[in-house]
Amino acid sequence: MVDVLPLVEARLRTALGEPDARAAVTFLGADRIEVLRFQEGDVVRYATLGMSAQPMTDPTATLADPVKGPRAELVLSVRAGLADTDKVLRPLAVLAATPQVEGVVVAPGASLDVGDPLWPGAPFTSVLVGEPGGLVEDLELDAPMDPVRFLPLLPMTPNEAAWKRVHGAGALQERWLANGTDLRDPGRGSVPLD
């Protein structure tokens, strides 16, 4: 069986450049998750490495398939220097370990909540999982393995997360777009939800 992670790291380096920092977190009963940091101008990007080592399994499946199933890594982009966003490493690793620990499939449109601010003083405790294929192209793997998708994370305030639960991910994204919301601003307020 192919070791997916070196291929994933190579794809991240091709798309985002050389990481300037990396950290690893290991959770009981889960594989090690690394978070790589990439600096590009006034934007810092954090990408997980390890979530795609195993395919995600549908929680209703009786047996986990070791080869087939969706694979993903998470990418968070924020403006640099406006907050202590490097403290997002552990929450990001927690989110990346969710499929292994809780047996969920992370997909676009999903909400992921860490229960605490993503970094000190952050107005966000959760993220909306965005559509793949923008910043980092999908990584095709040999059949029968599914490709690795690089899912952007969009931080949500508690009000936005509650509104999204009622109205859906698409409606929240339309609100952000209509209001010109800077989703990379680590200190932004909630979009108007009236």
Side-chain angles (χ1 to χ4, degrees):
M1 195 143 84
V2 149
D3 184 1
V4 174
L5 297 185
L7 302 173
V8 170
E9 185 168 354
R11 176 57 54 94
L12 286 169
R13 287 172 186 265
T14 300
L16 305 176
E18 286 299 310
D20 66 352
R22 65 193 305 148
V25 180
T26 305
F27 301 99
L28 192 61
D31 294 334
R32 179 174 123 136
I33 303 286
E34 287 189 86
V35 179
L36 287 69
R37 183 180 71 190
F38 301 87
Q39 188 87 34
E40 182 187 332
D42 70 336
V43 174
V44 62
R45 302 186 199 285
Y46 302 93
T48 63
L49 179 63
M51 182 176 170
S52 62
Q54 305 294 327
M56 292 182 274
T57 303
D58 184 330
T60 61
T62 52
L63 198 59
D65 190 318
V67 179
K68 291 182 185 176
R71 294 174 189 258
E73 295 291 351
L74 308 175
V75 181
L76 174 70
S77 301
V78 291
R79 298 231 176 270
L82 302 177
D84 189 7
T85 56
D86 280 352
K87 297 283 195 307
V88 78
L89 299 177
R90 185 163 180 77
L92 262 184
V94 167
L95 296 177
T98 302
Q100 287 182 56
V101 175
E102 296 183 18
V104 297
V105 175
V106 176
S111 299
L112 302 174
D113 196 317
V114 293
D116 290 311
L118 292 175
W119 53 82
F124 320 106
T125 60
S126 62
V127 293
L128 175 66
V129 180
E131 292 291 333
L135 189 61
V136 184
E137 283 183 40
D138 294 350
L139 172 64
E140 296 295 329
L141 300 173
D142 294 337
M145 292 192 286
D146 288 23
V148 176
R149 303 200 184 288
F150 297 87
L151 303 172
L153 299 181
L154 310 171
M156 293 188 291
T157 66
N159 286 346
E160 290 170 339
W163 197 85
K164 181 250 172 199
R165 279 193 293 278
V166 174
H167 300 282
L172 178 59
Q173 288 175 308
E174 285 172 19
R175 283 284 168 128
W176 284 336
L177 200 57
N179 286 278
T181 306
D182 181 2
L183 296 174
R184 294 178 180 167
D185 180 352
R188 74 171 179 85
S190 189
V191 71
L193 300 170
D194 49 355

